Amino acid sequence: QNLFTMAARSDSSRSGSNSPSNDPNEGSPAPSEISTIALSLLGTFVAARCLAVVSRLATALAAPLAGFYLMSTCPTNESFDAKRELKRVLRGDYKADTDPSKPKNVLEKALAKVNATLEAEAAAFAGCNVEIIDLLGLVKLASINNSITKTSYYFLGAVDKWRYIMAKDFPGKETKND
């Protein structure tokens, strides 16, 4: 009993004393807290390194799979119908719904369709130039050069579909009469 009462008295005297202590290490964390922080930082660093290795491995595996998918779904040159794609562009099918120049009502759509058909037929009759470039078998880039309007239309062929990219005006060839 003597030991228990002495231990209880020393605990109560420590907890009950309001006097400032003369311990110089009172404001600094205990050694166990420092070791816990150090282990947490070390664990975080190891986890970050593991995630970096896993992400590199996933990228190394995903890139060939994505390449194989693009190769197997690349459209053929014969699937590109220049006249049909040109009609779609001229009708305004690829324009955003908020674009003010896109036909909105039935009459405007009908007029745009007739205009697109006439212009596409005129371009075909005049002999527009169609070029298709194969980029490593992954994707194809097609261009239609309309010599009447002096405009080039660009399309991207990937994943079994042709997608319109942009139209660009090109300057006409100037001839000099000397």
Side-chain angles (χ1 to χ4, degrees):
Q1 279 188 356
N2 232 352
L3 284 174
F4 291 119
T5 54
M6 285 176 51
R9 273 191 223 146
S10 67
D11 284 343
S12 65
S13 67
R14 274 191 233 153
S15 63
S17 75
N18 290 334
S19 64
S21 105
N22 292 334
D23 187 14
N25 294 327
E26 186 177 311
S28 63
S32 62
E33 289 178 22
I34 292 174
S35 62
T36 304
I37 292 170
L39 285 175
S40 297
L41 288 174
L42 181 66
T44 303
F45 178 73
V46 168
R49 294 291 293 172
C50 289
L51 285 174
V53 169
V54 167
S55 71
R56 274 190 236 122
L57 180 64
T59 302
L61 292 176
L65 290 175
F68 177 72
Y69 177 72
L70 285 173
M71 278 183 164
S72 63
T73 60
C74 189
T76 61
N77 291 355
E78 292 79 28
S79 68
F80 183 71
D81 186 1
K83 192 187 299 185
R84 186 185 72 211
E85 295 297 333
L86 187 57
K87 283 181 186 179
R88 285 183 183 165
V89 170
L90 296 173
R91 271 195 317 250
D93 289 351
Y94 293 109
K95 292 182 180 178
D97 291 335
T98 58
D99 192 351
S101 65
K102 182 172 183 168
K104 296 190 180 14
N105 59 29
V106 177
L107 183 62
E108 287 179 356
K109 287 180 182 179
L111 288 174
K113 189 173 186 179
V114 169
N115 187 24
T117 302
L118 290 175
E119 192 171 335
E121 292 296 333
F125 182 72
C128 64
N129 186 17
V130 178
E131 295 178 21
I132 299 178
I133 300 170
D134 188 5
L135 301 175
L136 300 174
L138 301 174
V139 295
K140 293 186 179 183
L141 184 66
S143 67
I144 302 172
N145 297 322
N146 188 347
S147 59
I148 296 172
T149 60
K150 300 198 182 323
T151 306
S152 293
Y153 302 94
Y154 297 97
F155 298 86
L156 180 72
V159 193
D160 291 327
K161 197 172 182 182
W162 290 96
R163 291 166 179 82
Y164 172 68
I165 301 174
M166 67 177 209
K168 183 178 180 183
D169 293 333
F170 61 89
K173 293 181 181 176
E174 298 175 13
T175 59
K176 292 184 179 179
N177 295 332
D178 290 82

